[in-house]
Amino acid sequence: MLKKFILVFLVSMVPIAELRVAVPMALNMGLPMIPAYIVCALGNMLPVPFIYLFARKVLVWGAHKKYIGKFFSWCLEKGEHGGRRLAKRAGRSNLFLALLLFVGIPIPGTGAWTGTLAASLLDMGLKSTALAVSLGVAMADVIMYFISAGALSVFSFLL
């Protein structure tokens, strides 16, 4: 069972996949709900301080490199676009809530990675970014559990 938890933890850290893949995977593996919820959330949150502190610098550095430039530029543009969209919709005063909801609603293109990168590009503080992203991850985790549990029950009923 430990191997399953480790796998779910690692998958929840992967950009784009994050909780949208890790939570259904945990349920499909038959892992207990509460421990799996905690492991998924912790795995999704582990990269946040590193993304906030280093991603912007690494992406700017790599954007002009021959082999990795296109990908790094794409990541940088995605983060900047997310940041501009957040700032436009929320304004500076409601940026915390906007970031929380951006991370908390589990649709493609949103999540801890994109939200943290956007917050770093908007120069939100690390503490407020970490808190908003943490609350958003908790929200997305719950939403994904409800969606996944419902989908599994529908599929098991059909089979």
Side-chain angles (χ1 to χ4, degrees):
M1 184 174 292
L2 180 61
K3 288 181 182 180
K4 291 179 181 179
F5 276 114
I6 291 170
L7 180 62
V8 167
F9 180 81
L10 293 173
V11 168
S12 68
M13 288 174 39
V14 174
I16 301 171
E18 298 182 52
L19 298 172
R20 290 177 289 280
V21 174
V23 171
M25 178 188 280
L27 285 173
N28 196 36
M29 290 178 171
L31 294 175
M33 185 174 127
I34 300 298
Y37 172 89
I38 293 168
V39 167
C40 288
L42 290 175
N44 199 212
M45 283 303 300
L46 183 65
V48 166
F50 301 103
I51 297 165
Y52 185 88
L53 295 171
F54 304 115
R56 181 185 203 173
K57 294 172 185 163
V58 171
L59 290 173
V60 168
W61 168 84
H64 306 292
K65 303 297 180 203
K66 184 176 181 179
Y67 297 107
I68 58 174
K70 285 185 181 180
F71 177 70
F72 278 44
S73 294
W74 176 81
C75 291
L76 194 57
E77 288 171 19
K78 185 161 180 55
E80 287 174 349
H81 175 72
R84 282 192 306 271
R85 203 168 77 195
L86 275 176
K88 181 180 175 186
R89 287 186 179 171
R92 283 307 272 184
S93 61
N94 295 325
L95 203 51
F96 180 89
L97 181 60
L99 180 60
L100 187 155
L101 293 173
F102 181 81
V103 173
I105 299 172
I107 57 175
T110 68
W113 281 77
T114 307
T116 303
L117 180 58
S120 74
L121 295 170
L122 290 171
D123 293 321
M124 272 182 79
L126 177 58
K127 289 181 183 178
S128 59
T129 297
L131 182 59
V133 171
S134 296
L135 293 172
V137 164
M139 183 175 146
D141 208 350
V142 168
I143 291 170
M144 285 309 304
Y145 264 101
F146 281 122
I147 290 171
S148 300
L152 286 176
S153 65
V154 167
F155 287 126
S156 65
F157 176 74
L158 294 174
L159 299 175

